[in-house]
Amino acid sequence: MDKLRHTFYELVQRFTDTVSVADRLWDEIAKHYSARQRHYHNLSHLEAMRGELVSVTEELSYAEAVWFALYYHDLVYNVGASDNEEKSATLAQQRLATLGADHTFTDRVARHIIATKKHEWSPDQDTNFLVDADLSILGVSPERYRAYTQQIRKEYAVYPDFLYHPGRRKVLRHFLDLPTIYKTEIFRNRYEAQARKNLAWELTQL
């Protein structure tokens, strides 16, 4: 995870040269994403998204806001709550404010984060790239996708199958019913076809 940490420090250093501030913010991020109950929404998830965003950096209009949104988008993750994204966005705004970021910037980051809740198309193409990176796991190889479904099930282990399966089926059908899962042409070309195969397969397993 060295690249993940290094990228975060580079972001923070654009606001302050105080290493202790970067250390404090990174330690908070690492602690949240390393929580025991996180089997998928962890630092490995951030690293995978980091790789996806690196590949489209030149397409981003305000890259710094997208990168900060990456680190904070799942900071709060409680499988029994419906406001994780909102709480994550608020924390991101608070932390960025301590760096001296203005409201325009912090609000932009917050909007990106909240968009990862429903993964809907946005008129802001930067948001679409972040959301597509978040959904890139849906279009990975069948083997990796199977592992992902197991990781998600572990995160929701508190729910028995008779509760988990209907909710999961609803999520899968939602994505399959969309005209396109991915909002950007780059990610559609990269993952759309395989994502639909993976989602259809998972439906047969529930």
Side-chain angles (χ1 to χ4, degrees):
M1 299 302 164
D2 288 344
K3 291 182 179 179
L4 191 67
R5 182 176 182 272
H6 179 71
T7 299
F8 182 76
Y9 273 67
E10 285 186 334
L11 286 170
V12 172
Q13 287 168 3
R14 296 177 188 181
F15 292 88
T16 177
D17 292 329
T18 306
V19 176
S20 61
V21 173
D23 286 339
R24 174 168 50 82
L25 293 176
W26 172 254
D27 288 346
E28 179 183 48
I29 289 170
K31 179 181 179 180
H32 277 262
Y33 284 94
S34 299
R36 184 176 58 182
Q37 70 273 19
R38 293 197 185 217
H39 299 277
Y40 173 72
H41 292 90
N42 50 31
L43 291 174
S44 294
H45 170 52
L46 292 192
E47 175 57 29
M49 284 185 66
R50 188 198 71 82
E52 297 293 343
L53 289 175
V54 165
S55 72
V56 297
T57 297
E58 294 183 359
E59 306 292 332
L60 304 175
S61 297
Y62 301 97
E64 288 181 356
V66 176
W67 282 106
F68 271 117
L70 157 69
Y71 285 95
Y72 284 97
H73 81 286
D74 282 328
L75 191 72
V76 176
Y77 186 70
N78 179 350
V79 298
S82 61
D83 60 352
N84 291 323
E85 290 79 8
E86 289 84 356
K87 288 183 176 178
S88 295
T90 296
L91 280 172
Q93 288 177 301
Q94 293 172 349
R95 300 303 181 261
L96 290 170
T98 67
L99 296 177
D102 61 33
H103 287 297
T104 299
F105 185 81
T106 61
D107 288 350
R108 186 185 299 275
V109 173
R111 287 196 300 272
H112 290 330
I113 292 172
I114 292 172
T116 64
K117 181 173 187 173
K118 295 184 177 179
H119 299 98
E120 295 177 337
W121 180 86
S122 169
D124 186 337
Q125 190 73 332
D126 281 1
T127 297
N128 291 329
F129 276 114
L130 177 69
V131 167
D132 279 358
D134 195 27
L135 295 179
S136 61
I137 185 64
L138 302 182
V140 295
S141 69
E143 294 76 19
R144 175 67 188 98
Y145 188 80
R146 283 195 291 271
Y148 155 74
T149 63
Q150 293 167 1
Q151 291 167 335
I152 292 295
R153 186 66 184 97
K154 287 180 180 178
E155 289 188 341
Y156 283 82
V158 65
Y159 297 105
D161 286 347
F162 76 88
L163 291 177
Y164 176 78
H165 286 181
R168 185 64 180 173
R169 282 195 292 266
K170 183 178 179 180
V171 170
L172 300 177
R173 288 176 179 140
H174 164 72
F175 284 120
L176 286 171
D177 287 343
L178 292 173
T180 60
I181 295 169
Y182 297 96
K183 312 305 183 290
T184 65
E185 183 178 1
I186 290 174
F187 279 88
R188 281 197 299 272
N189 292 338
R190 190 179 295 174
Y191 292 123
E192 184 81 21
Q194 186 59 47
R196 290 189 173 276
K197 292 178 182 178
N198 289 337
L199 294 170
W201 168 82
E202 187 180 356
L203 270 176
T204 68
Q205 307 302 303
L206 298 174

